[in-house]
Amino acid sequence: MCGIVGYAGNKSVVDILLDGLEQLEYRGYDSSGIAVKCKDGIKVYKAEGKLGNLRNVLSNCLDEFKTSTCGIGHIRWATHGAPTVLNAHPHTCTCGNLVIVHNGIIENYKELREKLTASGCTFRSQTDTEAVAHLVARKYFEVKDLTEAVRLASKELEGAYALCVMHNDYNNTIVATKRNAPLLIGYGENEFFAASDVPAIIKHTNKAVYLNDNEIATLNPAGIKFIDGEGNVITPRVETLPWEPVALSKMGYKHFMLKEIHEQSDVIRNILIGKLHAPDENIVLNEVKLDKNTLKNLNRIQIVACGTSLHAAMVGKYLIENFCDIAVDVEASSEYIYRKTVTDTHTLVIGVSQSGETADTLTAVKQSKARGSHILIITNRPDSAMAREADSLVPVNAGIEVSVAATKSYTAQLMAFYLLALYMAEIKESMSKTDLQALKAEMMQLPQKVDQILAQTDEIKKCAHAFANTKNFIYVARGINYPTALEGALKLKEISYINATGYPAGELKHGPIAMLDETMPVLSILMLGTVYEKILSNSEEAKARNAQMIALTNSDDKKLDDLFDYIIRVPAVQELFSPIIAMVPLQLLAYYIAEFLGKDVDQPRNLAKSVTVE
Ligand code: AGP
């Protein structure tokens, strides 16, 4: 993970680096650091923890760096070595003349470290990155050319990396390269930027080159040079970024997470615009290239995703099987990529990712593409590495999600699956026109129903405060809401650190029921439909073991008042759409528990929004 940023130009560099890093904080916040070229050489400043700590370090320094116009910066999510100042980037070679920032993992760092230590290098950190600093310095000593040194060193690196390098022998120069990690080069007037992601540079420019693997860019205000991995000069395509600089604001909410939860009815409205006009009209998905013939020739669909996106994928399986009669498998990308998978030209592979850059999902998608499968990507980032692998694309249009815990992007992914499954059912003619129309009409009612939930959060807040001090939490559901139970539990774990687990309600009696007593809250997701009565019975079984019972329901059944200690009521909805309606209160429940406990809701410990390492 981690985020990197670099600037070579004519403006004061420190603010550009700090602003850029702030935009990349979603990639990690274990430590941060910058290196800037000053009159008397490169200076490095680092701090443990969030970027604010680095700002404090810099405010205590003399103004020695104020005139500097070239530098590199880093925001870290620790992989190798604890999140300390010593392990914070930038890292330097033994003599300190060369500095480097890195995003990714160098898999052969141990071998490199041994070799470089034996040849006289002094290591100061536990990071994999430091080996790269020493290796490039060694190559530089041999060839006396920084770009060539980076190129030669890259050949010895295994794993994933995006790198920015500076050397004391060079004024205003940064060398940048990448393999299996994102890096883009921004073009300004007599100035160039390097960054892990668009938000870090969009304030300054919307012209950029997405670097391909093994390509190397040498940035200097006087000009930029690109070479490929073999040293040949290349001229990459400069793209116009489809982004507007946005001022990220909480709009009066205490946290971004709460704001993003409250944006969800608009997110649903936005995704429907242009895709579903009226119940009697066909779904429009312009970037999906699946015709009747392709669909007829499919023998299976595989969906790969991680975390919250994986839960959306599980709902997607339910919908596609239900509407389209095609067998669907869902798998965590990290499992999918290290086994023999039976994927071929008759398989549709769907990758789901908010960020579009999750390393495991990206690898899974690339593997399937190499086997000839049609690749369909559902993402909030149509400009991402994953989207660039797509044969078909469903953009989810949730807008920028700042909070590390995904909320509105989950709802948007679910909407993408509803649209996709209905679209495929229309092409395949696997459902009657009347059923399709009824579902589309119901789908168009979702924004109002979500608004109704958001207007009545008191019951949820009361429940949250009653359970805030619990150590464990169990969520149960069945059928299409089993993923809702998993996602509800994930939200609570992520932001409150309470040990929460989601189970299929029918599985309780096969083991987990042993944990139940009066200290254990059990939240039953009881949405009217095929499995309502079944979950009710499973809830009775839990109640009989003295568990504290909470219901999330759209039923007004009076029986529930005796069975449950707390009842969170949501609007009536067709069962197939209940995952959207059920999830919003669970997001709020997790939020209000974490807020009550005083947790860092938007940036929970140990997490990062974008997971770019396997
Ligand atoms: C969700 O709250 C998470 N923080 C996390 O599980 C996330 O969904 C996962 O890392 C996948 O990310 P992606 O959707 O960007 O691929």
Side-chain angles (χ1 to χ4, degrees):
M1 263 109 70
C2 309
I4 62 179
V5 57
Y7 176 77
N10 40 37
K11 299 189 184 116
S12 173
V13 71
V14 174
D15 286 340
I16 292 175
L17 295 180
L18 290 176
D19 280 358
L21 292 178
E22 192 171 325
Q23 299 300 323
L24 297 179
E25 252 196 320
Y26 71 89
R27 306 174 74 89
Y29 32 80
D30 284 337
S31 66
S32 54
I34 59 170
V36 291
K37 186 77 201 282
C38 301
K39 279 197 199 87
D40 50 346
I42 294 172
K43 298 259 164 24
V44 176
Y45 308 87
K46 305 181 189 188
E48 202 176 305
K50 299 215 175 135
L51 193 60
N53 298 346
L54 180 64
R55 289 189 191 274
N56 289 339
V57 167
L58 291 168
S59 66
N60 292 329
C61 291
L62 297 172
D63 286 353
E64 53 192 3
F65 50 74
K66 285 275 164 69
T67 52
S68 170
T69 56
C70 181
I72 55 180
H74 188 268
I75 195 107
R76 179 168 188 244
W77 183 82
T79 57
H80 296 69
T84 58
V85 172
L86 205 65
N87 288 329
H89 299 216
H91 288 285
T92 51
C93 65
T94 309
C95 65
N97 275 331
L98 181 140
V99 291
I100 194 163
V101 288
H102 165 223
N103 164 34
I105 288 184
I106 304 300
E107 286 166 3
N108 59 335
Y109 81 99
K110 280 199 180 127
E111 296 90 300
L112 290 173
R113 191 177 175 119
E114 273 167 30
K115 213 167 80 183
L116 289 159
T117 306
S119 72
C121 297
T122 308
F123 278 76
R124 303 174 186 98
S125 75
Q126 287 103 45
T127 62
D128 52 338
T129 304
E130 198 184 340
V132 189
H134 293 296
L135 183 65
V136 179
R138 275 292 141 104
K139 299 292 177 195
Y140 181 72
F141 183 75
E142 287 162 21
V143 297
K144 300 284 180 287
D145 179 284
L146 191 57
T147 307
E148 184 61 1
V150 169
R151 190 183 77 80
L152 293 174
S154 303
K155 295 217 172 282
E156 293 181 32
L157 301 179
E158 287 167 22
Y161 56 81
L163 302 169
C164 282
V165 185
M166 293 199 311
H167 196 287
N168 260 330
D169 288 353
Y170 288 73
N171 267 332
N172 283 339
T173 300
I174 297 170
V175 179
T177 188
K178 62 147 269 179
R179 189 193 302 155
N180 293 329
L183 191 62
L184 70 153
I185 307 297
Y187 281 57
E189 218 158 280
N190 303 321
E191 58 180 1
F192 296 97
F193 304 80
S196 300
D197 198 2
V198 179
I201 62 166
I202 195 67
K203 213 166 110 183
H204 308 284
T205 179
N206 67 348
K207 297 270 176 274
V209 163
Y210 282 93
L211 223 53
N212 289 314
D213 283 353
N214 305 318
E215 291 176 354
I216 303 172
T218 306
L219 289 62
N220 183 288
I224 190 160
K225 193 181 106 187
F226 291 90
I227 57 168
D228 64 17
E230 300 316 311
N232 305 306
V233 174
I234 51 168
T235 313
R237 193 164 66 92
V238 182
E239 296 183 31
T240 303
L241 303 171
W243 279 68
E244 290 296 324
V246 278
L248 295 175
S249 146
K250 293 184 192 139
M251 308 290 282
Y253 289 97
K254 187 169 176 192
H255 294 102
F256 278 107
M257 183 178 177
L258 190 59
K259 172 186 160 235
E260 287 158 7
I261 291 172
H262 278 267
E263 282 170 353
Q264 292 181 106
S265 46
D266 283 340
V267 165
I268 300 175
R269 286 185 189 98
N270 279 345
I271 194 169
L272 290 178
I273 291 174
K275 300 188 180 77
L276 175 58
H277 299 109
D280 56 353
E281 287 186 29
N282 282 350
I283 307 268
V284 183
L285 290 179
N286 285 330
E287 294 172 78
V288 173
K289 315 286 175 211
L290 292 166
D291 55 24
K292 199 168 183 167
N293 218 18
T294 319
L295 283 181
K296 217 173 74 199
N297 283 325
L298 285 184
N299 49 23
R300 67 198 288 221
I301 295 178
Q302 288 179 326
I303 316 183
V304 286
C306 301
T308 291
S309 299
L310 182 65
H311 300 150
M314 291 168 78
V315 176
K317 166 187 163 75
Y318 199 98
L319 298 174
I320 296 171
E321 289 189 340
N322 206 312
F323 298 170
C324 314
D325 297 321
I326 307 176
V328 182
D329 298 317
V330 177
E331 194 165 348
S333 317
S334 51
E335 291 299 315
Y336 183 89
I337 57 183
Y338 290 110
R339 67 179 183 86
K340 185 182 168 206
T341 43
V342 188
T343 316
D344 58 21
T345 49
H346 299 290
T347 317
L348 167 66
V349 172
I350 304 180
V352 192
S353 174
Q354 187 284 129
S355 62
E357 64 168 334
T358 298
D360 291 318
T361 308
L362 186 57
T363 306
V365 160
K366 284 182 177 170
Q367 284 180 357
S368 323
K369 191 172 179 167
R371 286 188 217 111
S373 304
H374 187 104
I375 303 294
L376 187 147
I377 299 296
I378 295 178
T379 184
N380 198 26
R381 290 291 302 270
D383 60 330
S384 61
M386 221 176 286
R388 283 196 290 275
E389 299 294 327
D391 299 306
S392 290
L393 187 71
V394 184
V396 304
N397 308 122
I400 292 181
E401 191 174 60
V402 176
S403 167
V404 166
T407 54
K408 61 175 180 170
S409 64
Y410 177 70
T411 296
Q413 288 169 345
L414 292 187
M415 288 303 295
F417 271 115
Y418 287 111
L419 289 165
L420 180 66
L422 290 171
Y423 172 85
M424 295 200 309
E426 281 170 358
I427 299 180
K428 234 185 140 225
E429 294 172 357
S430 51
M431 281 175 89
S432 75
K433 282 214 159 61
T434 327
D435 287 350
L436 279 167
Q437 277 190 22
L439 287 169
K440 286 189 262 184
E442 178 85 25
M443 188 154 67
M444 295 177 89
Q445 300 303 313
L446 288 171
Q448 292 91 297
K449 293 185 182 181
V450 170
D451 274 334
Q452 275 178 47
I453 302 170
L454 294 171
Q456 300 170 346
T457 55
D458 286 356
E459 200 53 42
I460 302 169
K461 213 187 249 182
K462 215 161 80 191
C463 183
H465 293 174
F467 291 97
N469 290 311
T470 187
K471 297 275 171 280
N472 302 292
F473 223 108
I474 286 180
Y475 291 70
V476 291
R478 291 176 83 142
I480 196 166
N481 276 305
Y482 168 49
T484 313
L486 297 179
E487 177 60 10
L490 178 65
K491 285 290 87 80
L492 186 60
K493 271 190 281 225
E494 282 188 296
I495 61 170
S496 73
Y497 321 142
I498 291 171
N499 177 26
T501 312
Y503 292 107
E507 279 294 301
L508 264 190
K509 56 184 169 295
H510 297 288
I513 204 165
M515 295 187 293
L516 302 192
D517 62 17
E518 58 291 341
T519 66
M520 180 69 86
V522 173
L523 188 148
S524 299
I525 303 168
L526 264 169
M527 305 306 266
L528 289 168
T530 33
V531 285
Y532 175 81
E533 292 295 338
K534 298 285 168 206
I535 308 175
L536 207 55
S537 309
N538 300 139
S539 305
E540 296 275 6
E541 291 155 15
K543 172 84 172 174
R545 272 80 189 174
N546 293 327
Q548 303 179 58
M549 300 300 297
I550 309 159
L552 170 63
T553 187
N554 56 0
S555 154
D556 49 17
D557 188 347
K558 288 280 166 265
K559 277 203 301 257
L560 303 188
D561 296 342
D562 295 332
L563 179 52
F564 292 96
D565 305 304
Y566 284 86
I567 301 183
I568 300 168
R569 294 198 191 270
V570 290
V573 69
Q574 217 272 18
E575 187 184 15
L576 287 164
F577 292 103
S578 61
I580 297 235
I581 297 303
M583 196 55 224
V584 178
L586 297 184
Q587 294 166 345
L588 286 165
L589 182 71
Y591 172 79
Y592 284 121
I593 290 179
E595 192 251 357
F596 185 81
L597 295 173
K599 302 293 185 203
D600 192 346
V601 171
D602 286 334
Q603 294 186 327
R605 69 183 184 201
N606 304 339
L607 296 180
K609 183 118 191 105
S610 194
V611 185
T612 58
V613 291
E614 279 187 12

